[in-house]
Amino acid sequence: MACFLRTSRKLASSSSHYRHLKPPPATTRNAAASHVLPRLPISDNGSNLLAGKTNGVTRMLPCSAPVTNSYNRSWRTRRVGVRKGNMAAVELALNSVVKVFSVLSSPNYLLPWQNKSQRETMGSGFVIPGRKILTNAHVIADHSFVLVRKHGSPAKYRAEVKAVGHECDLAILTVESEEFWDGMNPLELGDIPLLQEAVAVVGYPQGGDNISVTKGVVSRVEPTQYVHGASQLMAIQIDAAINPGNSGGPAIMGNKVAGVAFQNLSGAENIGYIIPVPVIKHFIYGVEEKGKYIGFCSLGLSCQPTENVHLRNHFGMQPDMTGVLVSKINPLSDAYNVLKKDDIILSFDGVPIANDGTVPFRNRERITFDHLVSMKQPNENAVIKVLRDGKELELNIILRPLQPLVPVHQFDKLPSYYIFAGLVFVPLTQPYLHEYGEDWYNTSPRRLCERALRELPKKANQQLVILSQVLMDDINAGYERLAELQVLKVNGTEIDNLEHLCQLVENCSTESVRFDLEDDRVIALNYEVAKVATSRILMRHRIPSAKSVDLIDTQNSSQSEVASQC
């Protein structure tokens, strides 16, 4: 099965390859939708029922003979202009495109108190207005050091990461050196290109050290799996070669940027993908307005198409009505208090939704309606028309980004952990499951995978806490077989997250501390003896602390608040 690959150039071993959710035997795009829980087009069985159905129409006008001849003549003239424009644009890009050198160090989720071996990657980037450099998030993910080099210069300059959007695979870099900015020209953002329009991809792919230019045409525009952030956002498919190292480079159309190169399709010839301008602008706007990346909005729904006539009749849809059926609602979304299960969503912000979940897009193209949702700004209002119990209603819903119960990625942050008497507790994340190898979906614990794919959060800040492993000692002998089970309670109190578990253990006032796990398994320890054993076990395994940095910071903040109140 073909799969999407990120296109930063990796200089490390294959062990550093990013692994994304790939539940077989679904297609790559549907597989991605099955685990991004807040994404709209998700069915109960994990398939993307509202997958984009771009018709791939290359004719922009009706196919009548006189119009076709006129159109072909104008198209040939336009293509000549585009070729000339691309040549000028490439000259402009030479003073904008940079090579990005990153030193990365990813966490070890099986041993969360330490990092994996340092590795290096190379990618591309380009200057945008405001003395900023735009590149891909996966080029600098888990970075410890970043350098950039401009075309024609032997010098490398230190760069700082200003903002990162892992969901949309974009990042903004800044360079303090005035010498670097001498002669650099920012590129302007354009618009979404039409089908068959020519683009030139500029960057630093593998195979050489100098800048490279490849040309191709636009083949398709539709929501696509973003491998790095495991999300479904609009992307542009082109037939230009996009290879490792091209990541972050601009795709030029005319004299403006049409997108950012970021991935290709493994096992296919010359199928590359670029991030379109609307996604780029959404990312940049959020950074400029809020000072940091804020994410893409979601309705938090799971919807089913209504293509079957009997299904439409069952819910009282008139022959002229089209829409999708609400199957499941995320409890943390605003839609949870507005919409109901079995509502039929007829339109979004006045745009009718077809029975297959698509909406009109440009000329004779269609796109899934969750694209309209993702392009809304956080806390923006949306008008939803629904059919409920045979009556049409117009409802207002406030949109905002939603986080899944089990995080899809954990870039640029250290894992959370808590160790007590050799019991290592961690929140369940997909990067943790990725530690089981390339085929982690089949080799990792089945129940943990199912929870990562299916479960929705029931309350804010909820986590699934698991006992990841047992560091053997006399005090925990016999409990080693209980690893990889979910922790449900501590001393009879249901836990909300890892921080809550830590508080319950450290505030224990009884002789014994009891942990209730799934499958009705129980761990009981003498509290005072366990505290002494914890220090001994940490020293034996050279672990610097029983808590991760985030738990220590939270504890210190709480103590400071208590002290200030006193």
Side-chain angles (χ1 to χ4, degrees):
M1 179 180 68
C3 65
F4 292 107
L5 298 178
R6 298 177 304 169
T7 54
S8 63
R9 182 179 177 187
K10 294 194 175 179
L11 304 182
S13 65
S14 60
S15 64
S16 63
H17 180 267
Y18 178 85
R19 297 172 293 275
H20 62 280
L21 185 62
K22 189 170 57 178
T27 62
T28 306
R29 182 172 63 237
N30 289 353
S34 67
H35 74 285
V36 184
L37 296 176
R39 281 288 158 219
L40 196 62
I42 306 171
S43 71
D44 289 337
N45 64 3
S47 62
N48 186 347
L49 295 175
L50 304 186
K53 297 188 177 180
T54 305
N55 293 326
V57 178
T58 57
R59 295 188 302 273
M60 297 297 127
L61 294 175
C63 192
S64 58
V67 174
T68 300
N69 291 337
S70 173
Y71 175 69
N72 286 340
R73 286 194 296 270
S74 65
W75 179 250
R76 285 194 296 271
T77 302
R78 184 178 182 183
R79 288 293 294 273
V80 172
V82 168
R83 284 197 295 268
K84 292 181 179 179
N86 275 340
M87 293 177 64
V90 170
E91 289 296 324
L92 179 64
L94 295 181
N95 294 324
S96 174
V97 180
V98 300
K99 190 169 187 176
V100 182
F101 302 83
S102 300
V103 178
L104 314 178
S105 183
S106 300
N108 186 335
Y109 286 89
L110 294 181
L111 303 173
W113 48 87
Q114 65 184 35
N115 281 352
K116 296 179 180 177
S117 299
Q118 179 177 285
R119 66 187 192 278
E120 298 177 357
T121 67
M122 288 191 289
S124 306
F126 62 97
V127 176
I128 59 176
R131 284 196 164 196
K132 296 188 285 284
I133 297 172
L134 189 66
T135 187
N136 281 142
H138 72 258
V139 173
I140 51 85
D142 293 325
H143 69 279
S144 58
F145 196 75
V146 181
L147 297 171
V148 296
R149 189 187 71 195
K150 55 185 181 179
H151 175 62
S153 171
K156 297 177 183 177
Y157 301 87
R158 179 67 186 275
E160 298 291 338
V161 179
K162 179 183 178 182
V164 184
H166 293 290
E167 187 178 18
C168 58
D169 202 357
L170 291 171
I172 293 177
L173 310 179
T174 58
V175 178
E176 292 186 2
S177 173
E178 290 295 329
E179 180 183 348
F180 170 81
W181 295 106
D182 184 29
M184 298 299 285
N185 296 319
L187 294 178
E188 295 184 10
L189 301 178
D191 206 345
I192 301 176
L194 300 175
L195 299 179
Q196 288 298 302
E197 282 200 284
V199 295
V201 178
V202 186
Y204 291 86
Q206 64 183 8
D209 192 46
N210 287 326
I211 200 166
S212 169
V213 180
T214 56
K215 294 184 179 180
V217 298
V218 175
S219 307
R220 181 181 294 142
V221 181
E222 67 176 358
T224 303
Q225 175 199 356
Y226 281 41
V227 171
H228 177 69
S231 56
Q232 285 281 119
L233 294 172
M234 178 185 284
I236 300 173
Q237 178 183 321
I238 60 176
D239 66 358
I242 296 180
N243 296 307
N246 268 127
S247 282
I252 307 292
M253 183 185 67
N255 61 352
K256 295 185 178 181
V257 174
V260 177
F262 75 116
Q263 65 187 32
N264 60 23
L265 189 62
S266 175
E269 291 288 336
N270 289 342
I271 296 182
Y273 293 86
I274 61 176
I275 302 171
V277 170
V279 176
I280 299 171
K281 288 183 175 179
H282 189 283
F283 167 71
I284 294 176
Y285 175 83
V287 173
E288 291 178 347
E289 290 295 313
K290 305 295 183 181
K292 62 180 181 179
Y293 171 71
I294 50 180
F296 288 77
C297 291
S298 170
L299 273 172
L301 303 179
S302 188
C303 294
Q304 176 184 339
T306 59
E307 296 175 294
N308 185 279
V309 63
H310 301 286
L311 182 66
R312 295 197 298 272
N313 291 338
H314 175 77
F315 286 100
M317 297 177 66
Q318 299 299 318
D320 60 339
M321 287 183 178
T322 60
V324 291
L325 176 67
V326 176
S327 304
K328 190 182 297 183
I329 309 174
N330 189 322
L332 301 187
S333 67
D334 188 65
Y336 188 77
N337 300 316
V338 178
L339 298 178
K340 295 183 178 179
K341 188 179 185 303
D342 291 346
D343 280 350
I344 302 292
I345 301 179
L346 304 176
S347 68
F348 181 88
D349 276 347
V351 180
I353 300 173
N355 293 328
D356 64 351
T358 62
V359 294
F361 175 67
R362 302 196 307 189
N363 186 7
R364 298 176 63 184
E365 297 177 76
R366 299 194 69 83
I367 196 169
T368 56
F369 87 97
D370 60 327
H371 169 68
L372 302 180
V373 179
S374 64
M375 289 296 101
K376 302 282 279 188
Q377 293 297 327
N379 298 318
E380 192 174 350
N381 186 71
V383 179
I384 311 291
K385 180 184 285 188
V386 302
L387 179 68
R388 179 183 298 169
D389 299 328
K391 298 179 181 179
E392 292 187 37
L393 303 173
E394 278 201 355
L395 306 172
N396 294 308
I397 295 178
I398 298 176
L399 300 176
R400 65 178 186 272
L402 296 173
Q403 299 301 320
L405 176 61
V406 178
V408 176
H409 54 74
Q410 293 275 277
F411 298 109
D412 302 322
K413 61 185 299 187
L414 297 174
S416 298
Y417 71 89
Y418 176 62
I419 302 174
F420 181 75
L423 308 177
V424 182
F425 301 102
V426 300
L428 178 61
T429 64
Q430 287 195 19
Y432 172 83
L433 298 176
H434 295 165
E435 297 287 0
Y436 285 87
E438 292 290 340
D439 194 29
W440 64 268
Y441 181 78
N442 294 315
T443 57
S444 61
R446 172 58 50 191
R447 281 180 292 188
L448 298 185
C449 280
E450 291 302 315
R451 293 189 180 104
L453 291 169
R454 315 294 181 202
E455 288 197 22
L456 295 173
K458 298 177 182 178
K459 60 181 73 173
N461 300 318
Q462 183 183 359
Q463 292 176 326
L464 295 184
V465 179
I466 62 172
L467 174 61
S468 67
Q469 61 178 304
V470 178
L471 304 177
M472 288 304 300
D473 187 79
D474 291 337
I475 193 169
N476 55 41
Y479 291 146
E480 61 274 9
R481 294 185 179 87
L482 301 182
E484 299 175 343
L485 293 180
Q486 182 183 351
V487 184
L488 304 177
K489 298 178 181 179
V490 174
N491 286 340
T493 302
E494 291 187 4
I495 63 170
D496 297 329
N497 48 47
L498 184 62
E499 180 187 341
H500 188 206
L501 179 146
C502 178
Q503 291 174 350
L504 291 174
V505 172
E506 299 200 341
N507 295 333
C508 177
S509 58
T510 57
E511 181 180 355
S512 296
V513 58
R514 168 176 170 155
F515 300 91
D516 286 272
L517 313 180
E518 61 181 328
D519 290 341
D520 297 322
R521 304 297 181 180
V522 176
I523 293 176
L525 299 167
N526 181 282
Y527 185 64
E528 294 300 329
V529 175
K531 287 170 60 178
V532 174
T534 300
S535 300
R536 180 176 66 246
I537 294 170
L538 294 177
M539 184 178 301
R540 180 187 305 151
H541 290 272
R542 299 183 180 90
I543 301 174
S545 174
K547 301 177 188 176
S548 54
V549 175
D550 58 321
L551 295 181
I552 294 175
D553 291 343
T554 301
Q555 183 182 34
N556 292 339
S557 298
S558 300
Q559 291 175 350
S560 298
E561 291 179 2
V562 172
S564 61
Q565 291 175 358
C566 295

